[in-house]
Amino acid sequence: MVPTRLFPPFAALALCVQGSLAVAQAPASPDPAQGPDLAELSLEDLMEIEVSVASRHGEKLLDVPAAVYVLTGDELRRQGVTSVQEALRMVPGFHVARWRTQGWDVASRGFTGGLSELNQSFMNQLLLMVDGVSLYSPVMAGIWWPLLDIPIADIDRIEIIRGPAGTLWGTNAMNGVVNVITKHARDTQGTQLDATVRTDMASGDLHYGGKLGESSWFRAWMSSTYQAGIRGDRDGDWTMNSVGWRSDWDIDGTSRARVLGTFYAGEFGVSSDGDDDQPKVGGFLSGLYETGSGDDLQRLQASLWLDHQKLPDQFTSDFEQDVQTLDLEWTRRQALGTGDSLTLGLGGRVVQADLGSDNGYIDFDPEFQRIWSVRAFGQGEFEFESLDSKLVLGLQVEENDVDDLQVQPNVRWLWRAAKETSVWASVARAVRTPSIEERDIVQRFDPGDVPFFVGNSDYDAETLLAYEVGARTKVSERVSVDLTAFYNDYDNLQTFEEPPGQTLTYGNEGRAMARGFEAAVDFDLTDRWRMRGTYTYFMMDFEASSSSLLVDAIDARDGLIPENHASLRSYYDLGDKWELDGAIYYVDHLSYFDVDSYVRVDARLGWTPFEGTQFSIGVQNATDPEHPEAGSVEVERVLYISLRTSF
C-alpha cells in the first residue's frame, strides 16, 4: 500500500527522481570500493580527517570544538558489522543493547534513539541522518533501526556528535547526531557483490556503478536481508528488501549536484509461527545542489521521506500509519576575514500524517494532520591568532504548529595548546519537540469504551542545557588521545500524569542530571598493527514531581545505562593477503533490567586471494553462547562467513 494523500509539493518532488534513472554502461572496476584501509592510515592521517557534522563544512578533527568520533567504511568492514546500529557499539559515549529481534536501544549519553518499550520515557533524543536526510520519526519520536537499510559497502564514513547539536541540525538533536555519509558515485564504478551468511541471518547486496557523461556518475544497488528471531523474543523473524541509487554531477568547476534515493519493503514477524506479519514500506529521496567551495559555499537541499506501516490485529487493531516528510533547506558559508567565517541557513519542513485503526483500540485525534515548521540559524567562527584560539557562536530559532518558538544557542571555544594538541569547551541548549503520539494518541481497552490514555495537546518541548570540556592530543608518534567530560541538565522530561477527574496522559514533570567522562585512544603497535580503545563513565539521576505516576519507576531509570563500558579493537595485517581483526567490549551491569555485566569478544579473519575479491570468516560473542543485553531476550553467539567481490 502506498500513501493515499500526496499533496502537490510531494508529487512534484517525486517526479525529479526520473532524471536520475538514466543508465549508461561503464567499465568494471577491478577492486571493491571500500575506502582507505584503516590500518594504512597514520595517526596523523586520523587526526587530519575532515569532518562536517559539527560545523556543516569540512574541518580537521583536531580543530573541532565538540565531541566528535568517526568510523570509516573500512573499519566497518574489518569489524564484520552488518548494520549501523551495531557499528555504534564502537563509539565512546554510546551504549547499544539489543532487546528484541527488531529492536535496539542506542543510547547517546543515557538517552536512546530506538523505538523500544522504554521509548515512552526520556528515551528519544538522538538524530539519525543519511547524507543529511533526517530519519527521525515525528510520530513516535525515535528511530526504527532496521529501516536504515544502507549497504555497509556503500558507506564512506559515519560521523557522530555526542552531545547537543541543535544549533546547526535543529530540534531532536539533543544528545547527539549520527550522520551516515555514503560514497561518491565516482568511487563505486563497476559491479560489486557483497554476501554474508550468519548463524542468525543472511544478507546480500548487489551494486552497479557507471557514468552518465564526462562529469557525472551513478550507483544503483539492491539489497535483501533475512533475520531469524532471537531466543526469548515473541516477535519472530523479519525480512527487508530495498533498492537505491546515487547520482553525482560536476556541473562546472565550482558547482555540483547529487540525487540520492532508496525504497524499502519489509515484513516483521509478530509471532513465533510467522503469522500476522507487520509490513513496512517507504523510502526517501534527496536532491542537493552546491556551488562554490571553502569559505564561499552555498547549498540547497530538498528531501522527502515516506513511511507506511501496518500493525496487525493481534496487537494493535490493524493500526496503520502513512507519514510523509518534506524538508527544504538553504545554507551559505561566507568568509568574513582571515580565518573568520559565517554560516547561515533557512529551512522549512512539513510532516503529513494519516494515522488510525479500524477497531478503535489505538487511534489519533485528529487522524490526519499537517505540521509545518520553519527555522533559521547562524554560526560564526572567529580566529584569535594571538591566542591560538577559535571562538564559535551559534543560534537556531524554530517555529512550528505544535510548540512554542524554540531557541537553541551554543558557545564553543578551542585553544590550540600545541601543534598537535587542542583543548575545547562549550555551553549549548537543545530541545526535543513533542511527537504526534504525545499530543494526539487515544487508547481504549475495548472499542467504544472511554479512553484510558490520551495525548496531551499542551505537552511542551523537552530541554537540555549542556556543559562540555575536551582535549585531543598526539601523545607520541604512535599514540593519540581524545578526552571529553560533560554535565547535562534536563528539564520538562516526559512523565505520566492523571489530572483530577481526567484520563491518564503525558506530562512534563520530569527532570534529570547526567555527568560523564569519555575517552578514545588510538595507538600503532607496529606499521601493520593498529588498536583503538574507548572508555565511558556515565551517571544519571532522574526525578519527577511527586504528583506524577510511576515515580519509583522513573527513579529506577538511573540504572538503564551502564556506569562503565569500554572497548578495545584490533586491526592487524598479517600480510598482503591476510587480515586478523578483533574486538573486546565490556558492559557494566544494568540494575533496571537486572542484567549482569558481560564481556563480548569478536574476531575476524580476512583473505584476499586475488585483487578485487575478499573472503571473511568471523565470530561475535565468542566467549558466551548467550546473554541478555536489555531485558529477557538472549543475544546469542554468531558465526559468519562473507564474500566481497568485483566483476
Side-chain angles (χ1 to χ4, degrees):
M1 179 177 178
V2 297
T4 57
R5 302 190 192 184
L6 278 174
F7 59 89
F10 284 4
L13 181 61
L15 291 176
C16 78
V17 68
Q18 297 177 5
S20 69
L21 294 179
V23 176
Q25 295 297 319
S29 170
D31 295 311
Q34 61 190 34
D37 190 329
L38 181 72
E40 294 180 358
L41 294 176
S42 66
L43 287 181
E44 184 175 354
D45 292 333
L46 283 176
M47 299 190 76
E48 294 287 317
I49 286 179
E50 287 201 348
V51 296
S52 58
V53 71
S55 60
R56 286 183 175 257
H57 65 85
E59 58 181 339
K60 297 176 182 177
L61 189 59
L62 190 65
D63 292 334
V64 177
V68 174
Y69 198 73
V70 179
L71 297 173
T72 67
D74 184 64
E75 187 168 11
L76 306 185
R77 174 186 67 86
R78 297 190 65 160
Q79 284 298 327
V81 299
T82 56
S83 65
V84 170
Q85 59 269 31
E86 288 292 332
L88 295 175
R89 294 182 189 271
M90 298 185 273
V91 180
F94 270 64
H95 170 62
V96 177
R98 194 169 189 179
W99 64 278
R100 59 190 292 195
T101 303
Q102 54 186 274
W104 284 260
D105 285 330
V106 182
S108 172
R109 293 185 175 175
F111 290 73
T112 178
L115 288 169
S116 75
E117 294 170 322
L118 305 174
N119 198 52
Q120 303 304 314
S121 291
F122 323 124
M123 303 299 292
N124 35 28
Q125 293 108 348
L126 178 67
L127 184 64
L128 171 67
M129 301 186 296
V130 176
D131 289 321
V133 180
S134 172
L135 299 186
Y136 183 93
S137 169
V139 178
M140 303 299 182
I143 301 160
W144 195 298
W145 290 96
L147 301 186
L148 178 60
D149 196 31
I150 301 295
I152 294 296
D154 286 348
I155 296 176
D156 180 73
R157 64 190 184 278
I158 304 175
E159 296 183 0
I160 303 106
I161 293 180
R162 293 119 48 208
T167 299
L168 289 179
W169 298 109
T171 55
N172 309 320
M174 283 182 69
N175 277 325
V177 173
V178 175
N179 191 19
V180 180
I181 300 174
T182 62
K183 295 174 181 176
H184 194 287
R186 177 185 54 227
D187 300 327
T188 54
Q189 298 290 282
T191 304
Q192 180 178 315
L193 172 66
D194 290 87
T196 298
V197 177
R198 304 181 359 156
T199 51
D200 66 337
M201 61 92 72
S203 67
D205 304 322
L206 182 64
H207 323 243
Y208 179 75
K211 297 194 70 174
L212 297 169
E214 289 300 318
S215 57
S216 59
W217 305 264
F218 76 92
R219 172 177 70 249
W221 54 267
M222 61 178 63
S223 176
S224 183
T225 300
Y226 167 77
Q227 171 69 62
I230 59 180
R231 183 169 301 180
D233 184 10
R234 64 187 172 99
D235 286 353
D237 54 10
W238 57 269
T239 61
M240 176 65 71
N241 300 293
S242 59
V243 295
W245 69 94
R246 172 169 170 159
S247 303
D248 291 274
W249 293 266
D250 285 346
I251 299 173
D252 53 41
T254 61
S255 300
R256 300 157 295 281
R258 182 194 73 205
V259 172
L260 173 71
T262 183
F263 174 80
Y264 59 80
E267 288 190 351
F268 293 79
V270 295
S271 61
S272 58
D273 59 8
D275 292 336
D276 296 318
D277 282 343
Q278 173 185 336
K280 292 179 180 289
V281 297
F284 67 84
L285 174 65
S286 172
L288 172 70
Y289 175 77
E290 182 179 80
T291 184
S293 61
D295 290 332
D296 187 6
L297 180 67
Q298 290 193 71
R299 288 179 176 170
L300 179 64
Q301 181 164 347
S303 60
L304 170 66
W305 180 30
L306 308 177
D307 179 57
H308 169 78
Q309 54 183 285
K310 179 178 180 180
L311 308 184
D313 181 69
Q314 180 180 356
F315 289 98
T316 53
S317 310
D318 292 322
F319 171 73
E320 294 189 54
Q321 72 172 40
D322 283 318
V323 182
Q324 304 153 27
T325 303
L326 174 64
D327 192 277
L328 301 173
E329 184 176 85
W330 167 85
T331 59
R332 171 72 184 271
R333 183 170 188 257
Q334 179 67 53
L336 300 178
T338 304
D340 300 339
S341 65
L342 178 64
T343 300
L344 298 173
L346 295 172
R349 176 178 299 147
V350 57
V351 176
Q352 177 173 282
D354 195 351
L355 311 166
S357 64
D358 295 334
N359 296 332
Y361 292 95
I362 292 182
D363 211 336
F364 284 78
D365 183 18
E367 290 190 355
F368 179 81
Q369 59 181 298
R370 289 179 185 147
I371 301 172
W372 298 81
S373 65
V374 294
R375 62 189 181 274
F377 60 88
Q379 180 160 290
E381 301 180 28
F382 308 97
E383 292 283 347
F384 297 89
E385 294 185 2
S386 61
L387 301 176
D388 294 318
S389 297
K390 176 172 70 173
L391 177 66
V392 178
L393 301 174
L395 177 69
Q396 176 158 155
V397 293
E398 179 173 317
E399 180 68 54
N400 59 60
D401 290 343
V402 299
D403 199 17
D404 298 328
L405 178 71
Q406 293 298 338
V407 180
Q408 299 183 92
N410 82 93
V411 179
R412 299 180 182 272
W413 168 82
L414 181 137
W415 172 44
R416 301 177 184 87
K419 179 181 179 181
E420 295 177 313
T421 300
S422 60
V423 179
W424 60 273
S426 72
V427 180
R429 183 181 189 269
V431 302
R432 182 186 72 83
T433 54
S435 67
I436 295 175
E437 175 203 347
E438 288 164 326
R439 293 178 58 87
D440 300 328
I441 195 169
V442 178
Q443 293 182 276
R444 297 177 174 88
F445 287 117
D446 290 299
D449 285 357
V450 175
F452 71 89
F453 192 95
V454 297
N456 181 358
S457 60
D458 294 324
Y459 190 84
D460 293 327
E462 298 178 348
T463 64
L464 164 66
L465 187 60
Y467 308 85
E468 298 175 276
V469 294
R472 296 184 182 92
T473 184
K474 185 177 177 183
V475 178
S476 69
E477 289 300 315
R478 293 193 176 274
V479 181
S480 66
V481 178
D482 189 336
L483 307 174
T484 303
F486 64 89
Y487 179 91
N488 289 347
D489 187 3
Y490 299 91
D491 203 358
N492 286 351
L493 295 179
Q494 185 192 90
T495 55
F496 298 101
E497 307 293 327
E498 189 173 16
Q502 298 183 40
T503 306
L504 182 66
T505 187
Y506 289 115
N508 292 103
E509 300 301 319
R511 296 169 297 280
M513 178 277 296
R515 62 185 183 275
F517 171 77
E518 302 158 352
V521 182
D522 292 286
F523 44 99
D524 293 341
L525 278 72
T526 70
D527 292 341
R528 289 181 173 268
W529 192 1
R530 162 160 297 149
M531 301 190 77
R532 306 193 79 187
T534 68
Y535 169 74
T536 302
Y537 169 79
F538 179 83
M539 287 291 293
M540 177 170 278
D541 294 319
F542 282 111
E543 62 180 32
S545 169
S546 59
S547 63
S548 300
L549 302 181
L550 307 176
V551 171
D552 292 340
I554 291 171
D555 292 339
R557 292 184 185 276
D558 298 345
L560 277 170
I561 305 299
E563 185 173 325
N564 299 278
H565 53 92
S567 71
L568 182 63
R569 310 191 302 278
S570 171
Y571 306 90
Y572 185 45
D573 290 339
L574 295 171
D576 293 337
K577 296 181 179 295
W578 294 89
E579 299 168 336
L580 181 61
D581 306 311
I584 300 175
Y585 301 90
Y586 169 76
V587 179
D588 214 344
H589 75 283
L590 299 177
S591 59
Y592 186 89
F593 298 106
D594 194 24
V595 171
D596 293 335
S597 62
Y598 61 88
V599 175
R600 167 176 167 154
V601 177
D602 299 347
R604 169 191 169 271
L605 179 66
W607 174 45
T608 306
F610 46 84
E611 190 175 38
T613 297
Q614 183 175 78
F615 293 93
S616 299
I617 59 172
V619 59
Q620 296 174 349
N621 292 301
T623 58
D624 195 347
E626 57 189 23
H627 67 266
E629 293 184 343
S632 60
V633 170
E634 299 281 346
V635 177
E636 301 176 66
R637 178 186 295 138
V638 169
L639 303 175
Y640 68 88
I641 182 170
S642 65
L643 166 68
R644 177 174 293 187
T645 186
S646 296
F647 51 90

